[in-house]
Amino acid sequence: MSRLLAAALTVAAAAAVAVGAAFGIVALLEATPDQPNSPLITYEQAGQGS
């Protein structure tokens, strides 16, 4: 009976680790990198003097 309990606990622990890893991977994939909000190219507007 103790072997069955040990096997069940091992399966439960492995499932918990797998679910945690899956959530971690999804969180990493959905993380957006910090990007500056400044344009790389600017165009001068006609009619605006500088």
Side-chain angles (χ1 to χ4, degrees):
M1 185 67 181
S2 63
R3 287 182 133 189
L4 183 62
L5 179 62
L9 288 176
T10 302
V11 168
V17 169
V19 169
F23 277 117
I25 289 170
V26 169
L28 285 175
L29 289 175
E30 290 183 355
T32 55
D34 292 334
Q35 295 179 354
N37 194 14
S38 58
L40 297 176
I41 300 173
T42 56
Y43 297 99
E44 292 183 13
Q45 298 285 331
Q48 291 182 350
S50 55

